[in-house]
Amino acid sequence: ETPISSLAGIGSSLLEFAALSALTDNLVYIDTVRRCMLRLFELRSPYDLMGKHLNINTETWTEVGVRA
């Protein structure tokens, strides 16, 4: 596997974990989703933009034009 994840794939995973939290009545999943979403927003560019792909190991966008 690659450490590069698409923003769409990340979003889909976050939705699945939120649904898992609702189905199991276990808040640990939704708490993790919230932390991940906050971190994604922190990684926005100075123009409030996000890239299409993120290196999840280095937390850097793979597209040149959107790095903070």
Side-chain angles (χ1 to χ4, degrees), residues 2 4 10 12 14-15 18-20 22 28-29 39 45 51 55 63:
T2 175
I4 307 298
I10 293 169
S12 294
L14 294 178
L15 287 173
L20 180 62
V28 71
Y29 303 112
R39 185 64 187 136
S45 77
N55 182 322
E63 286 114 272

Side-chain angles (χ1 to χ4, degrees), residues 5-17:
S5 293
S6 71
L7 189 59
I10 293 169
S12 294
S13 294
L14 294 178
L15 287 173
E16 289 176 23
F17 275 94

